[in-house]
């Protein structure tokens, strides 16, 4: 789902992440015992142009890490491309509503 050329711009982070950084971050979170408690997309609009889909969403998630809960909300724009019969997600841009 996340191809080699992935580029991610995450809320509150000035660094852009490539695929390796996305997976490294997820691995560190999992190994630390972190948990995703809630994930919601209360508003989503999808535009499809041939083999490309652009997904605009409001998001809300809640994490637990180190015994503390953290909630984040904002907007995300994601790009999906139909490649060899599978939708892949080569990039997204999140902003924070907090």
């Amino acid at each position: 789902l996340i191809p080699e050329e992935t580029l991610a711009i995450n809320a509150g982070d000035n660094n852009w992440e490539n695929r390796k950084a996305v997976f490294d971050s997820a691995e560190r979170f999992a190994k630390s015992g972190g948990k995703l408690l809630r994930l919601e997309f209360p508003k989503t609009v999808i535009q499809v142009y041939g083999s490309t889909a652009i997904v605009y969403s409001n998001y809300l998630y809640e994490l637990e890490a180190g015994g503390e809960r953290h909630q984040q909300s904002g907007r995300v724009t994601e790009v999906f491309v139909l490649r060899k019969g599978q939708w892949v997600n080569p990039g997204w841009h999140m902003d924070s509503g907090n």
Side-chain angles (χ1 to χ4, degrees):
L1 179 64
I2 300 177
E4 288 298 323
E5 69 275 13
T6 293
L7 179 62
I9 302 171
N10 295 310
D13 190 351
N14 288 329
N15 297 315
W16 295 8
E17 293 186 337
N18 59 20
R19 183 178 192 265
K20 180 180 180 335
V22 168
F23 283 116
D24 287 351
S25 177
E27 183 178 16
R28 281 191 308 275
F29 180 73
K31 284 183 176 179
S32 76
K35 296 178 185 175
L36 175 65
L37 302 176
R38 182 168 75 170
L39 177 62
E40 297 176 12
F41 297 94
K43 180 178 181 182
T44 298
V45 175
I46 302 171
Q47 296 176 321
V48 178
Y49 302 98
S51 60
T52 302
I54 304 167
V55 180
Y56 305 90
S57 299
N58 289 343
Y59 70 86
L60 168 74
Y61 66 80
E62 186 174 2
L63 304 174
E64 184 176 73
E68 295 184 16
R69 290 184 175 209
H70 171 73
Q71 195 173 85
Q72 178 86 30
S73 64
R75 300 173 296 186
V76 61
T77 302
E78 297 183 84
V79 176
F80 288 84
V81 178
L82 187 59
R83 184 180 292 165
K84 297 179 184 176
Q86 180 181 14
W87 287 99
V88 297
N89 182 213
W92 58 86
H93 181 193
M94 298 172 71
D95 70 19
S96 174
N98 291 346

